[in-house]
Amino acid sequence: MRKTISAAAAGLAVLAASLAVPAAAYAGDAAATKTLHLRKGLTLKIPSSWRVDADRADWLRVITGSCPTKGTDTYGFRDSGCHSFWILGPKAIKVGHELFQAYTPDGPFYPATDVGPCPVKKKLYIGRTTLAEKGLRQVGPGHKADYRDWAGTCRTLTSGTVKARFNQREWYLPTSRILVIDQWRTPGLAAILENATWN
C-alpha cells in the first residue's frame, strides 16, 4: 500500500512539473510568455518556448515541442510527430472536410480524399474517429466556440491493427471564422484559449 501511495505521489509530482510552463501562459508570468496576435483581434498569451509558424496566414501553426518534419517536404497538416496545434482561418475552413468540402463541427477537420497519416505515430494511418465530447467553450470574454473532441485510432495499413490513439480537439468560432485544432492534448491550451483577449 505504501509503495502504491508513493508511486501515485511521484506521478502527481511529474504531472505538476509538466504543466508548470504552460500554466505560466495564463497565470500572467510575462517573462515566461509571449503575445500571439491573431485575426479579428484574438490575442493569446503562450509560453515563450513555443514557436509560431505563420508562413501561411490561414494555416498558422504553433509548435510546442519536437517537430521532426519541420523543413522537410512532409511538413504540413498531414504530417506525423510534430507537437503542435493549428489556428486556421477562412481559406483553411473552406476546404476542411473530406473531399475538400467546407468545414462544419459535425465531423473532424480532415482536408483530404484519402486515408491520412497518424498525427502521433509515423508509418501508421488514421482509422476510425468518434465523437468523445462536444459543447461550448469560452474563448476570451464574449466569445464561445463550438468545441469537439474527436477520439481517433491509428492503424497499420496492411492488417488494420490499432497501434496508437489520439484525440483531435477543435474550437470553432464561426462568426470570427477561426478554427483551433489540437491533436496532441497540448497542456494548458484550453486555459490559454479561455483566457484569451479580443482587441
Side-chain angles (χ1 to χ4, degrees):
M1 183 70 161
R2 285 182 184 169
K3 287 182 180 178
T4 302
I5 292 171
S6 295
L12 287 173
V14 169
L15 177 62
S18 71
L19 295 177
V21 171
Y26 52 87
D29 185 352
T33 65
K34 59 187 172 187
T35 303
L36 177 58
H37 297 284
L38 302 162
R39 65 185 319 275
K40 299 291 186 180
L42 176 60
T43 303
L44 306 180
K45 288 283 190 186
I46 63 172
S48 56
S49 60
W50 291 1
R51 296 168 288 154
V52 178
D53 182 348
D55 284 347
R56 296 190 298 162
D58 280 15
W59 293 85
L60 186 140
R61 189 175 207 174
V62 180
I63 301 170
T64 60
S66 172
C67 187
T69 56
K70 181 81 169 118
T72 71
D73 60 356
T74 58
Y75 178 73
F77 186 78
R78 289 160 44 91
D79 62 11
S80 292
C82 183
H83 292 248
S84 59
F85 64 91
W86 294 85
I87 303 169
L88 307 178
K91 290 180 183 176
I93 293 167
K94 189 177 179 180
V95 295
H97 270 322
E98 211 164 358
L99 302 175
F100 302 106
Q101 300 297 309
Y103 171 83
T104 62
D106 65 346
F109 184 85
Y110 185 74
T113 59
D114 58 356
V115 177
C118 175
V120 298
K121 194 156 185 184
K122 196 174 179 180
K123 297 185 180 176
L124 294 178
Y125 295 85
I126 295 174
R128 186 172 179 201
T129 305
T130 57
L131 183 62
E133 186 180 355
K134 74 174 186 174
L136 295 175
R137 296 290 185 274
Q138 199 72 38
V139 178
H143 293 76
K144 288 197 183 280
D146 284 321
Y147 175 77
R148 301 291 186 271
D149 181 350
W150 299 96
T153 58
C154 294
R155 304 171 179 267
T156 59
L157 195 57
T158 51
S159 69
T161 304
V162 174
K163 296 282 189 178
R165 297 179 185 277
F166 71 99
N167 284 70
Q168 181 166 303
R169 301 187 298 170
E170 302 177 352
W171 291 259
Y172 180 46
L173 295 150
T175 303
S176 304
R177 304 291 286 158
I178 296 170
L179 174 61
V180 178
I181 299 178
D182 176 32
Q183 297 172 321
W184 289 92
R185 287 190 177 275
T186 302
L189 178 57
I192 288 169
L193 291 171
E194 184 178 348
N195 288 278
T197 58
W198 296 83
N199 298 322

